[in-house]
């Protein structure tokens, strides 16, 4: 079974070696670099087994992108403090959505309306939309990429039907197929990035129930999430175009 790897970081200026990846299931770090092949060099390595491989990486890679502690203590904030981030961010707010569905959506009265009719009565003046309009009018940007299964789940179709409410308020919502997300090693975690300096990681259980928000401010970790944002945005389709493509199939 293939490992679930996430890209951790690189100091390369051209996108090549060396680099680090992390196995999200085990926490093991995968080091990617130029292989050591000279027999004289290999002979000098202690405890080097017949099935081992050695690679060369600069010390800066490990210092800049290696784990800083064995077990990170999560910095959990309350929902009120999390909600304030959408009022106090200065420039940009961006989210990655990865789950097949969300328990909170299924509890929304409009979800039953969607299941029964295939449509939703959209509230363009709800509290979220009002705030997003204020932020966009202030010159700020807000967006997200939503990873969608193939075919989309019921929960994802619900969110797609609800998307015109968000986009009318000024959000940029884009869609990335699950197969492309997996090929790009995007993680199965939901998070917001605020002003490229603070990450709010959203924690869910296996039943899609939202539990808490972990705040990440360590610069190397924030940089990794910003890199994931760039990967997700590349070739992601505007949600209106994606919705139109579904109607024609």
């Amino acid at each position: 079974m293939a490992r679930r790897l996430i890209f951790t970081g690189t100091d390369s200026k051209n996108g090549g070696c060396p680099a680090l990846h992390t196995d999200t299931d085990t926490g093991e770090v995968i080091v990617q670099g130029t292989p050591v092949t000279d027999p004289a060099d290999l002979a000098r390595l202690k405890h080097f087994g017949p099935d081992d491989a050695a690679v060369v990486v600069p010390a800066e890679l490990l210092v800049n992108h290696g784990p800083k502690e064995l077990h990170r203590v999560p910095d959990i904030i309350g929902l009120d403090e999390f909600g304030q981030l959408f009022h106090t961010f200065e420039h940009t707010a961006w989210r990655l959505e990865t789950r097949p569905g969300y328990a909170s959506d299924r509890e929304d009265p409009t979800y039953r309306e969607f299941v029964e009719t295939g449509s939703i009565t959209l509230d363009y003046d709800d509290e979220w939309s009002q705030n997003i309009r204020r932020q966009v009018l202030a010159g700020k940007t807000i967006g997200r990429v939503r990873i969608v299964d193939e075919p989309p789940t019921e929960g994802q179709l619900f969110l797609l039907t609800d998307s015109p409410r968000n986009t009318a308020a000024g959000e940029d919502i884009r869609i990335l197929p699950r197969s492309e997300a997996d090929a790009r090693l995007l993680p199965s975690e939901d998070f917001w990035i605020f002003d490229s300096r603070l990450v709010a990681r959203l924690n869910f259980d296996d039943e899609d129930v939202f539990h808490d928000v972990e705040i990440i401010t360590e610069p190397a970790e924030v940089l990794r999430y910003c890199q994931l944002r760039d990967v997700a945005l590349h070739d992601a389709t505007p949600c209106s175009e994606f919705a139109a493509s579904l109607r024609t199939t």
Side-chain angles (χ1 to χ4, degrees):
M1 181 177 178
R3 291 176 179 265
R4 293 191 60 83
L5 298 179
I6 58 172
F7 175 72
T8 305
T10 180
D11 288 321
S12 171
K13 304 303 185 293
N14 58 14
C17 291
L20 296 182
H21 291 75
T22 300
D23 187 324
T24 58
D25 293 330
T26 67
E28 294 174 315
V29 177
I30 309 299
V31 180
Q32 172 187 335
T34 303
V36 178
T37 58
D38 189 298
D41 291 336
L42 294 174
R44 296 176 63 87
L45 299 179
K46 293 183 179 295
H47 312 297
F48 190 77
D51 296 323
D52 293 344
V55 298
V56 177
V57 297
E60 291 86 350
L61 176 71
L62 303 180
V63 171
N64 293 337
H65 302 287
K68 302 301 183 290
E69 51 193 355
L70 185 59
H71 300 290
R72 187 176 67 198
V73 178
D75 181 9
I76 304 298
I77 64 171
L79 296 184
D80 289 341
E81 187 176 355
F82 174 55
Q84 282 301 309
L85 293 174
F86 295 94
H87 297 270
T88 59
F89 75 96
E90 297 181 3
H91 308 290
T92 61
W94 185 87
R95 178 175 179 177
L96 180 67
E97 291 184 359
T98 68
R99 303 191 69 82
Y102 297 88
S104 58
D105 290 337
R106 296 192 288 269
E107 296 169 358
D108 193 305
T110 59
Y111 195 90
R112 173 171 292 184
E113 178 187 2
F114 170 75
V115 172
E116 294 176 351
T117 68
S119 61
I120 299 175
T121 302
L122 297 174
D123 181 2
Y124 290 95
D125 203 38
D126 66 320
E127 184 177 347
W128 173 266
S129 299
Q130 290 180 32
N131 180 56
I132 295 307
R133 282 197 292 271
R134 285 194 297 270
Q135 304 307 321
V136 172
L137 286 173
K140 305 176 187 180
T141 61
I142 183 165
R144 67 184 78 198
V145 166
R146 181 173 296 142
I147 296 175
V148 172
D149 290 278
E150 303 158 273
T153 66
E154 180 180 83
Q156 291 163 348
L157 290 173
F158 168 77
L159 288 173
L160 189 64
T161 305
D162 187 55
S163 292
R165 176 179 60 88
N166 301 68
T167 55
E171 281 193 63
D172 177 31
I173 302 180
R174 295 174 180 269
I175 305 297
L176 186 68
R178 179 81 63 186
S179 59
E180 291 189 31
D182 291 343
R184 300 177 189 187
L185 301 180
L186 287 172
S188 297
E189 58 180 300
D190 282 37
F191 57 86
W192 281 94
I193 305 174
F194 296 95
D195 297 327
S196 298
R197 66 171 184 83
L198 180 151
V199 174
R201 187 178 187 273
L202 312 183
N203 295 320
F204 296 83
D205 64 20
D206 292 339
E207 301 301 320
D208 304 319
V209 176
F210 172 62
H211 280 276
D212 53 43
V213 180
E214 177 184 353
I215 293 299
I216 300 170
T217 57
E218 200 280 316
E221 272 293 280
V222 172
L223 173 61
R224 182 177 72 83
Y225 281 97
C226 291
Q227 291 171 333
L228 292 174
R229 174 188 59 195
D230 293 345
V231 171
L233 279 169
H234 185 69
D235 285 340
T237 305
C239 63
S240 58
E241 293 182 17
F242 183 82
S245 69
L246 288 180
R247 289 193 293 268
T248 60
T249 57

